[in-house]
Amino acid sequence: MSGGREKALTAPQLSGIRRLTALETVRARIALAVELGLLAPGEWLPASDKIAAALDVGEITARRALVSLCEDGVLERIRGRGGGTRVAEDPVRAAVSATATYESSADEVRALIDHRLVLECGLAHLAAQRSDESTMDELRRLVDEMDRAESWAEFHGHDEAFHLAVARLAGVDVEPYRRALHDLYRFYLPYPLDHLQESNADHRTLVEALAARDPLRATEAAHKHVATLHNTMFIALNRQ
């Protein structure tokens, strides 16, 4: 195998964001989502434990990040019954310097997407040859859960479970794929729920292909789902 091909199939090394603390990553991801219009003024955020799970940090870290973003004027805390944390009506911009680390990572993110694309297409092809009813039932349940999700944080949890279930069905070591997912998840921002649920149609298409034991259709569905990230992740969006 040539050096160039070998490099293309090797997971990219994460650079800038590794130097950020967990607190800074949460602050940066929420602040950048606000600045890009992914979280709208007045929009309520999920509870801190849901945010912690979705962004892979401890709940105390998530809570501290929310408090600090309120102090910065990006978010606001509404107290009392029915209260919570929401995006400020006129959120302060450029309040979190760590957003620049994410915005400067476009090439890195594209390489991570391509790495996931290679893995996911191969896993879908293998999974279509090994489909069984119990796994199909699990995948259909997760797709239904994503349709019913009430927040981006809840959707994210079901989405990860779905893709790992497909990987397990393929019958290979899941850990390289799990690491590829988590490397890319470090760059995921909160997204509008309707956008996420639209992407769930790709999951349904993949499940249908797997149930039909059609490796070609399954590979095409996986390719479409992952390749779309090049146009939908924050690297393709402009600040408002």
Side-chain angles (χ1 to χ4, degrees), residues 18 39 70 151 165 202 218:
R18 285 202 183 278
L39 293 175
C70 288
S151 71
D202 293 341

Side-chain angles (χ1 to χ4, degrees), residues 4-210:
R5 178 71 60 82
E6 184 175 5
K7 182 177 180 181
L9 297 179
T10 301
Q13 295 296 312
L14 301 184
S15 55
I17 63 167
R18 285 202 183 278
R19 296 191 293 270
L20 299 177
T21 66
L23 177 63
E24 288 173 322
T25 65
V26 177
R27 283 171 45 79
R29 292 159 83 176
I30 293 176
L32 187 54
V34 171
E35 292 182 16
L36 291 172
L38 299 173
L39 293 175
E43 181 174 342
W44 294 98
L45 271 66
S48 58
D49 61 329
K50 302 293 186 184
I51 292 175
L55 301 186
D56 196 25
V57 299
E59 186 178 353
I60 292 176
T61 297
R63 195 178 303 125
R64 287 177 57 204
L66 296 180
V67 169
S68 66
L69 287 170
C70 288
E71 293 170 349
D72 291 335
V74 177
L75 306 178
E76 60 183 3
R77 175 70 179 171
I78 307 300
R79 303 195 179 278
R81 188 173 183 178
T85 303
R86 67 185 185 186
V87 180
E89 290 297 337
D90 186 17
V92 174
R93 295 179 175 274
V96 180
S97 60
T99 58
T101 303
Y102 278 80
E103 291 181 301
S104 66
S105 301
D107 289 343
E108 189 175 340
V109 175
R110 292 188 185 99
L112 288 168
I113 294 170
D114 286 340
H115 184 237
R116 178 182 170 185
L117 182 64
V118 170
L119 294 176
E120 198 142 329
C121 287
L123 291 169
H125 189 280
L126 290 174
Q129 300 174 60
R130 296 170 168 83
S131 65
D132 61 77
E133 277 309 309
S134 62
T135 305
M136 290 301 100
D137 288 344
E138 178 186 5
L139 292 175
R140 292 185 182 103
R141 177 186 63 79
L142 288 166
V143 170
D144 289 342
E145 292 286 357
M146 282 183 270
D147 274 341
R148 292 192 293 266
E150 296 182 354
S151 71
W152 54 267
E154 182 182 349
F155 183 99
H156 180 78
H158 298 313
D159 179 73
E160 180 178 2
F162 175 90
H163 288 289
L164 289 174
V166 173
R168 287 192 296 272
L169 180 60
V172 298
D173 182 4
V174 175
E175 285 311 305
Y177 176 67
R178 187 194 302 272
R179 289 194 297 271
L181 272 186
H182 280 228
D183 284 346
L184 189 54
Y185 283 165
R186 292 171 184 261
F187 291 95
Y188 277 173
L189 307 184
Y191 267 74
L193 185 57
D194 58 351
H195 167 85
L196 295 174
Q197 290 174 330
E198 285 177 10
S199 75
N200 201 26
D202 293 341
H203 296 146
R204 288 193 183 279
T205 300
L206 177 57
V207 171
E208 291 170 2
L210 295 176

